[in-house]
Amino acid sequence: MEPISSPQAIIDFCLAPLALDTGSDAEREVRRRLEHVIKTFQQRAARPVAVDFSSMPSQVINEAAHGYE
């Protein structure tokens, strides 16, 4: 996977697992807020910032700790 620098593409990738109701007021508000955060961060960094989701660590659930052996 290539690093993503477009705020809209980052938001799309992050929200995809939630399967939000597209076009709902809540979905539009979440996208508006996230876009503001990403663009503000990129401005403060003085350059577009790319996110490489392929280097994100996997989340490992310890089933034994929860009694699901």
Side-chain angles (χ1 to χ4, degrees):
M1 171 179 238
E2 292 293 316
I4 304 171
S5 59
S6 160
Q8 200 57 47
I10 292 169
I11 293 167
D12 289 343
F13 183 85
C14 291
L15 293 182
L18 298 176
L20 297 174
D21 181 17
T22 305
S24 69
D25 289 340
E27 192 257 356
R28 281 193 301 272
E29 183 63 15
V30 167
R31 286 182 177 280
R32 186 184 73 78
R33 291 179 184 192
L34 287 172
E35 186 171 4
H36 175 72
V37 168
I38 293 168
K39 286 183 175 182
T40 299
F41 180 78
Q42 288 179 334
Q43 287 174 346
R44 298 287 193 281
R47 62 181 168 77
V49 175
V51 180
D52 185 358
F53 287 101
S54 65
S55 68
M56 186 170 69
S58 299
Q59 192 171 26
V60 178
I61 298 172
N62 183 347
E63 291 182 356
H66 298 283
Y68 302 115
E69 299 180 80

